């Protein structure tokens, strides 16, 4: 089904889906919020939560790897 995602949500989902494994929080923060990334930490959590909500039953595929980051389960 078609999803209505923000640009950042789409970009995060795209990185996760196209990755072969776990994408670290630090990598995502650097990629989307720049070198220091500290301002984006909570923002990343909000975008991931919004993605899960919008994905419906597919949300279980967006996995949190505790202490590391996120991955898209195949």
């Amino acid at each position: 089904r078609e999803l209505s995602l923000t640009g950042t949500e789409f970009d995060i989902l795209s990185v996760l889906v196209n990755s072969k494994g776990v994408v670290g929080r630090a990598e995502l923060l650097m990629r989307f919020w720049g070198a220091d990334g500290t301002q984006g930490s909570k923002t990343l959590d909000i975008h991931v939560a919004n993605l899960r909500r919008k994905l419906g039953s597919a949300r279980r595929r967006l996995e949190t790897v505790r202490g590391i980051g996120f991955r898209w389960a195949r």
Side-chain angles (χ1 to χ4, degrees), residues 59-73:
R59 72 179 163 263
R60 68 182 178 276
R61 296 183 71 188
L62 200 170
E63 297 178 342
T64 298
V65 180
R66 190 172 177 194
I68 300 173
F70 303 94
R71 74 172 157 220
W72 185 255

Side-chain angles (χ1 to χ4, degrees), residues 29-54:
L29 291 169
M30 176 70 116
R31 180 178 228 148
F32 296 109
W33 289 280
D36 95 8
T38 56
Q39 293 179 338
S41 184
K42 194 61 164 172
T43 304
L44 175 60
D45 293 336
I46 291 168
H47 282 296
V48 169
N50 288 339
L51 267 172
R52 284 188 172 123
R53 182 178 45 81
K54 292 177 179 183

